[in-house]
Amino acid sequence: MGSHLNFKNFVDAPSMEGNWSEPPGNFPLARQSSIYSLTFDELQNTFGGLGKDFGSMNMDELLKNISTAEETQAMMTASVPGGEDGVSGGNLKRQGSLTLPRTLSQKTVDEVWRDLMKENDGAKDGSSGGGANLPQRQQTFGEMTLEEFLVRAGVVREGMQQIGVPNNSGFFGNNSGMALGFQQTNGNNGFWSNNNSVLNQPSRSPLNTSGVKSSHLQQQKQQQQPQHQLQQPPEPLFPKQQTVAFAPSMHLMNTTQLASPGARSVVVIDDPSMNTKLVQSTGLQSGGMGIVGLGSPASQISSDVISKNSVDTTSLSPVPYVFGRGRKCSVALEKVVERRQKRMIKNRESAARSRARKQAYTLELEVEVAKLKEMNRELQRKQDEMMELKKNQMLETLKRPRGGKRQCLRRTLTGPW
Amino acid sequence: MSRSVEPLIVGGVIGDVLDMFTPATEFTVHYGTKQVTNGCDIKPSAAADKPHLQILGPPLSSSLYTLVMVDPDAPNPSEPRLRELLHWIVVDIPHGHDATKGRELVAYMGPRPTIGIHRYILALFKQEGAMGGGSQLPDGRANFSTRQFAAQNRLGLPVAAVYFNSQKEPAMKKR
């Protein structure tokens, strides 16, 4: 798998690999100038505009910054022939805009990162050989490439399928990291390597990120397709891997969504449609599930730039994100999903309890208020009565005695003269 | 009077611990100066000592009451494995008086909410007659059942109940 890939800028790979089980070799081709392959650190340094600390940025802002940065970069890499079809060089294709799932955008990068880390722990073991296992990568926030982050954050959805497919080593491990771990299950690995374009992993795939919908592979394919997609016979699951289970998305998703396994396959599929072209549309789509794009079509996907496909904002489906291309066996994956589901349920229950508590307290206060008001009214009334009574009594008492006294004071005529 | 039962329903007291009932008696519970109203918050430190209980109404009736205090959210509200945790049982409380006049079957234990926010329910039952020696003491405090206890001692439905919330107090600030 990795062998096919050229690792051009593999600079980051070694460092990133901290946990990876996969040899760096798996990394995809040289890093293209895609912005996605840059690590956060690099991004921050390079693009002044992004200067803000990534951690506290909102996902929204992050994406915006990424797009701005990408555009800048695209211009710089104009030399590479862009052309959707048959682009051999890596092109940064920017398509559409990344749309984040609503839920995701509200989180800050830090939060997503934390979630990813958590997820990572669980997912680590899964990735096995096959392509770089992204999950393992990135020990530090800074080292994670944008791609990786986005993928994991569920902005980009990857097709989950076949995690097992070894090919994927190609993730795009990118040197840059962004490699959204797409696991390209199919033999695609080779593809990327062909073109340096690697970068993109995300773009690769027409796999749409919309993996979310995974259930409808077909749909996705079509959606993704627009651009250069490799024309391959659509396979429902594009071998690429991607099981993208996003930790954050998991939380966000409701259990029902979790249940939709279909998503997995979706993402990847787009690739099939891709024909040798580069795919790129990275489809960074919200929906977070992995960027399918990686799906590197069998033919070469030449560096497809990360093209952003219009994201279909399908409901997020908590598809487990599998890093490292298909390495994770389904059992481990299920555990991860299950754990997430449980956590989500627990959280919901806790929230419900909290609401009930609040409501009970309010009700009690209302009852108290009503009681006190009534008591107050009663007491007021009684007091008025008492006053009235007293007043009357006093008046009466006053009248009688006066009359008597006057009489007494009368002088009588008595005298000796 | 059903209005006064609503907080108990919404708070889950009726359901988790007690069955639906119509309040027949009024009683007040005071921890120091603080009166317990449904759903109010009381710190564990404030509730360490037994509260002052008062069954309202003219002390004419000769009925005796039983008070049971339980925590249905032990050890953790999201995982109440020890539901209900018994805190206090007082029997033979004469009407119109406070709990000190009764007989403490199970000694008072203050709230100990380790995780989460726990509810502490005080339920008052009317006894048919004096509680004889037959009332068996529960083995341990954990996994107590108020319903079962009431059934065993022929207490019937509660005549009054009140509950409060309590959570672990934050540790002392470090210098």
Side-chain angles (χ1 to χ4, degrees):
Chain A
M1 320 186 259
S3 54
H4 304 290
L5 309 170
N6 318 317
F7 306 100
K8 260 210 213 156
N9 286 314
F10 211 29
V11 172
D12 302 38
S15 58
M16 295 195 289
E17 291 179 337
N19 333 3
W20 295 325
S21 51
E22 302 297 332
N26 294 330
F27 285 19
L29 313 169
R31 169 210 319 229
Q32 286 295 322
S33 46
S34 165
I35 180 175
Y36 288 92
S37 53
L38 295 176
T39 62
F40 274 127
D41 282 340
E42 289 170 356
L43 254 185
Q44 259 176 303
N45 297 336
T46 323
F47 297 98
L50 301 173
K52 229 166 46 146
D53 182 19
F54 277 85
S56 51
M57 256 199 235
N58 240 343
M59 289 299 282
D60 275 342
E61 294 171 294
L62 182 65
L63 280 184
K64 273 194 223 123
N65 285 332
I66 291 172
S67 353
T68 351
E70 270 187 333
E71 278 166 15
T72 326
Q73 216 181 25
M75 304 217 260
M76 299 190 319
T77 51
S79 59
V80 181
E84 301 188 20
D85 296 345
V87 176
S88 48
N91 258 355
L92 269 181
K93 232 174 225 173
R94 196 151 335 158
Q95 315 207 345
S97 48
L98 284 174
T99 42
L100 278 175
R102 189 172 42 85
T103 46
L104 200 54
S105 62
Q106 284 157 11
K107 294 175 134 225
T108 64
V109 168
D110 265 351
E111 286 178 279
V112 178
W113 169 254
R114 268 199 291 273
D115 284 338
L116 286 176
M117 287 279 88
K118 270 192 262 170
E119 179 54 27
N120 209 4
D121 293 341
K124 266 211 227 159
D125 311 323
S127 53
S128 40
N133 293 322
L134 287 179
Q136 266 99 25
R137 267 202 258 194
Q138 325 265 288
Q139 292 299 331
T140 62
F141 191 54
E143 287 174 349
M144 188 187 264
T145 62
L146 256 186
E147 271 177 2
E148 168 95 41
F149 181 79
L150 282 178
V151 167
R152 296 173 90 181
V155 171
V156 174
R157 249 247 305 188
E158 275 192 90
M160 296 207 312
Q161 312 284 225
Q162 304 175 350
I163 301 185
V165 181
N167 296 332
N168 309 315
S169 54
F171 290 84
F172 310 82
N174 64 140
N175 322 322
S176 26
M178 242 327 226
L180 301 168
F182 301 118
Q183 298 167 356
Q184 308 182 7
T185 53
N186 313 324
N188 298 322
N189 289 332
F191 300 104
W192 305 327
S193 48
N194 298 337
N195 305 309
N196 307 334
S197 52
V198 194
L199 280 182
N200 358 353
Q201 304 62 69
S203 44
R204 285 306 153 141
S205 44
L207 299 176
N208 46 41
T209 44
S210 43
V212 177
K213 279 310 182 81
S214 57
S215 49
H216 311 275
L217 293 178
Q218 311 294 335
Q219 272 181 353
Q220 302 201 339
K221 291 207 215 157
Q222 326 236 311
Q223 289 159 351
Q224 305 295 342
Q225 317 305 308
Q227 315 68 136
H228 24 276
Q229 300 220 338
L230 299 178
Q231 272 114 35
Q232 288 176 357
E235 295 167 359
L237 295 176
F238 192 69
K240 295 203 187 180
Q241 58 294 280
Q242 329 222 330
T243 39
V244 177
F246 247 92
S249 25
M250 285 290 277
H251 298 302
L252 302 172
M253 304 272 151
N254 39 30
T255 30
T256 51
Q257 284 172 340
L258 273 175
S260 60
R264 313 224 182 126
S265 52
V266 174
V267 179
V268 182
I269 312 306
D270 285 331
D271 284 338
S273 55
M274 304 195 281
N275 15 28
T276 58
K277 298 178 84 151
L278 288 247
V279 209
Q280 335 348 183
S281 22
T282 45
L284 285 173
Q285 302 200 355
S286 45
M289 293 286 196
I291 298 181
V292 180
L294 298 183
S296 57
S299 24
Q300 50 265 72
I301 302 188
S302 47
S303 55
D304 31 39
V305 259
I306 300 174
S307 46
K308 294 186 222 172
N309 291 334
S310 44
V311 179
D312 241 9
T313 36
T314 50
S315 56
L316 294 169
S317 57
V319 174
Y321 177 80
V322 175
F323 292 101
R325 287 201 227 174
R327 266 336 162 130
K328 226 188 235 207
C329 57
S330 55
V331 174
L333 200 60
E334 279 167 17
K335 282 199 204 134
V336 169
V337 176
E338 197 188 316
R339 225 179 305 137
R340 280 210 208 112
Q341 258 172 303
K342 281 203 193 130
R343 180 103 187 106
M344 184 153 57
I345 292 171
K346 261 192 158 190
N347 274 344
R348 292 241 175 89
E349 285 171 6
S350 180
R353 268 200 308 274
S354 181
R355 283 192 298 269
R357 219 184 357 253
K358 184 176 182 181
Q359 195 184 355
Y361 183 63
T362 311
L363 270 176
E364 177 69 19
L365 284 181
E366 284 174 10
V367 170
E368 290 280 311
V369 164
K371 247 194 259 175
L372 289 171
K373 273 194 184 160
E374 180 62 35
M375 211 190 313
N376 198 20
R377 206 162 357 120
E378 195 62 31
L379 287 171
Q380 196 70 34
R381 190 180 59 79
K382 269 203 185 149
Q383 194 193 22
D384 288 341
E385 266 180 30
M386 292 298 260
M387 285 299 280
E388 198 60 36
L389 206 64
K390 257 200 164 174
K391 196 172 73 170
N392 290 341
Q393 278 175 354
M394 280 233 314
L395 282 174
E396 245 175 87
T397 332
L398 284 172
K399 272 190 229 148
R400 266 179 289 107
R402 288 272 336 274
K405 263 219 134 182
R406 231 175 262 136
Q407 309 257 342
C408 301
L409 285 174
R410 182 151 296 171
R411 282 189 114 172
T412 46
L413 289 171
T414 50
W417 342 300
Chain B
M1 268 271 230
S2 66
R3 184 93 166 90
S4 64
V5 177
E6 275 174 19
L8 295 173
I9 299 171
V10 172
V13 171
I14 290 180
D16 288 345
V17 178
L18 305 173
D19 295 320
M20 184 64 195
F21 69 97
T22 317
T25 312
E26 280 195 26
F27 76 125
T28 63
V29 182
H30 289 265
Y31 278 105
T33 49
K34 171 128 185 165
Q35 179 173 359
V36 174
T37 55
N38 285 321
C40 73
D41 281 302
I42 296 185
K43 291 187 184 168
S45 53
D49 295 323
K50 59 176 81 164
H52 183 84
L53 211 98
Q54 188 84 23
I55 301 178
L56 305 176
L60 302 169
S61 142
S62 60
S63 32
L64 298 171
Y65 296 87
T66 293
L67 177 87
V68 177
M69 177 171 165
V70 294
D71 171 9
D73 298 324
N76 188 346
S78 50
E79 227 187 275
R81 282 172 275 123
L82 304 177
R83 172 173 291 177
E84 308 147 22
L85 191 63
L86 182 62
H87 279 262
W88 199 23
I89 298 184
V90 189
V91 298
D92 296 335
I93 307 171
H95 190 109
H97 292 275
D98 72 300
T100 53
K101 303 282 194 303
R103 183 160 60 93
E104 203 179 42
L105 219 61
V106 173
Y108 179 79
M109 180 176 79
R112 285 178 205 177
T114 43
I115 308 171
I117 302 180
H118 295 222
R119 294 166 291 171
Y120 292 91
I121 302 165
L122 291 119
L124 198 71
F125 296 88
K126 191 164 178 179
Q127 292 171 213
E128 287 177 357
M131 194 72 85
S135 55
Q136 63 271 51
L137 284 174
D139 290 334
R141 291 183 185 252
N143 296 115
F144 179 76
S145 168
T146 308
R147 287 186 177 103
Q148 201 181 42
F149 180 80
Q152 277 169 359
N153 297 281
R154 297 194 315 276
L155 296 171
L157 289 175
V159 292
V162 77
Y163 84 101
F164 64 93
N165 293 319
S166 195
Q167 59 182 306
K168 192 164 177 189
E169 285 167 278
M172 291 285 285
K173 283 190 215 162
K174 300 212 169 122
R175 289 295 171 91

